Every structure is written in C-alpha cells, then in structure tokens.
C-alpha cells in the first residue's frame, strides 16, 4: 500500500453533542467519511474497520474546540478537497476545521 496517505484533521463538537460517547462519535466520523466517497483504508481481518485514529477521547459532558484525528486513505488527496467533501456530510454540532 505504497500510495496510502495519512491526513490529520482538527474538528470541534458543540453543546448539542456533549453527551455523545466516544465510540458513537467515531462511528459518526466513519459514516460521514464513507458518505463523502473518500478512498478509506480498512483494517484487515474478519470485521474490517476504517483506519481512523483519534488523539484522545472526550469525556461525556465535554465539548472540544480543536480535537485531532488521523485518517488513512488508499489514494492521495488534497487536504482542502478532503475538508470540502466531508463538511456537508457532518451532523449539526460536529465541524471539521482543517486538514494537513
């Protein structure tokens, strides 16, 4: 997988999502990335998962302003294009800020 690319993105959550647990937030990101039609890399094995890594989990009841996450893509993509494609797929209260 020599053409794989890691993109690091920052995101924020608002008060409307402060009672959403970490695993539900991860699932929300995976669905949004899939709906955006991105070339996601998946783990191997019986139950493949999208290759997403979050810097830390927010405690329930907290909001985040500059949370970090990495996504592995199977094809190179411009970070600005990544943000442009993901932004309309996110639910209210979840915002992507930037990608590098």
């Amino acid at each position: 997988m020599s053409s794989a690319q890691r993109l690091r993105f920052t995101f924020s959550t608002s008060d409307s999502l402060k009672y959403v647990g970490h695993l539900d937030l991860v699932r929300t990101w995976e669905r949004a990335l899939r709906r955006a039609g991105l070339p996601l890399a998946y783990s191997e094995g019986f139950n493949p998962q999208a290759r997403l890594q979050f810097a830390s989990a927010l405690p329930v009841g907290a909001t985040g302003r500059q949370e970090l996450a990495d996504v592995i893509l199977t094809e190179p993509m411009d970070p600005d294009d990544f943000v442009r494609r993901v932004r309309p797929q996110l639910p209210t209260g979840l915002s992507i800020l930037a990608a590098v």
Side-chain angles (χ1 to χ4, degrees):
M1 192 158 65
S2 62
S3 64
Q5 177 186 18
R6 176 186 302 265
L7 279 177
R8 176 161 291 164
F9 60 94
T10 55
F11 66 95
S12 66
T13 59
S14 69
D15 280 342
S16 62
L17 293 180
K18 70 181 179 180
Y19 294 114
V20 173
H22 177 70
L23 293 179
D24 291 327
L25 189 62
V26 170
R27 219 171 302 135
T28 301
W29 272 108
E30 184 175 352
R31 289 178 181 162
L33 295 171
R34 225 178 23 238
R35 281 194 307 262
L38 300 176
L40 291 175
Y42 286 87
S43 63
E44 296 180 16
F46 184 73
N47 196 12
Q49 302 289 318
R51 299 208 34 215
L52 287 168
Q53 298 172 337
F54 289 82
S56 61
L58 285 172
V60 174
T63 61
R65 288 193 201 157
Q66 296 258 337
E67 301 304 306
L68 292 174
D70 291 350
V71 62
I72 309 295
L73 303 175
T74 58
E75 300 170 11
M77 175 178 272
D78 179 58
D80 293 332
D81 188 37
F82 174 83
V83 171
R84 184 184 56 74
R85 288 174 64 179
V86 172
R87 191 168 276 143
Q89 306 304 325
L90 295 174
T92 303
L94 188 58
S95 302
I96 187 165
L97 306 173
V100 292

